[in-house]
């Protein structure tokens, strides 16, 4: 993939802190993993304050994404292959 902007994503939180994203994932999704900054999701390196939580909900991947000059967003993207890849990492 390579470009988050090209994915059909849903914005869950806008202008959020990494802690707010982490708390939202932990409180709203049964399944989550923690990754370090630089971990690749959709072939894009994720940045943030560790630990970075990534939520899984069926075929959906929920993760924080920082867009320079625009802030951090919590995004939800449906992609079975990526969700399965992240589950295998657990």
């Amino acid at each position: 993939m390579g470009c988050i902007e090209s994915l059909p994503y849903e914005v869950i939180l806008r202008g959020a802190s990494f802690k707010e994203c982490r708390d939202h994932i932990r409180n709203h999704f049964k399944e989550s993993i923690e990754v370090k900054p630089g971990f690749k999701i959709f072939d894009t390196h994720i940045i943030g304050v560790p630990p970075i939580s990534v939520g899984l909900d069926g075929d959906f991947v929920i993760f924080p994404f920082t867009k320079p000059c625009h802030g951090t967003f919590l995004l939800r993207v449906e992609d079975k292959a990526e969700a399965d890849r992240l589950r295998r990492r657990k």
Side-chain angles (χ1 to χ4, degrees):
M1 289 257 164
C3 181
I4 301 296
E5 292 287 326
S6 68
L7 297 172
Y9 61 84
E10 172 190 350
V11 176
I12 296 175
L13 297 175
R14 183 180 313 272
S17 69
F18 289 102
K19 182 182 182 321
E20 289 170 323
C21 290
R22 183 173 43 249
D23 290 346
H24 187 88
I25 288 170
R26 289 177 180 169
N27 292 327
H28 292 89
F29 300 98
K30 293 179 189 174
E31 203 175 357
S32 67
I33 62 171
E34 290 186 352
V35 299
K36 294 181 180 180
F39 183 79
K40 281 182 149 183
I41 296 179
F42 298 107
D43 207 28
T44 300
H45 294 279
I46 300 300
I47 62 172
V49 178
I52 299 171
S53 290
V54 176
L56 299 166
D57 185 22
D59 292 343
F60 287 92
V61 179
I62 300 89
F63 61 99
F65 177 69
T66 300
K67 186 174 179 182
C69 300
H70 295 278
T72 300
F73 301 82
L74 186 61
L75 302 181
R76 180 177 184 251
V77 177
E78 185 174 19
D79 189 300
K80 181 176 176 24
E82 188 69 1
D84 289 345
R85 181 184 77 84
L86 292 167
R87 280 188 181 96
R88 287 191 302 270
R89 185 181 182 281
K90 290 201 271 183

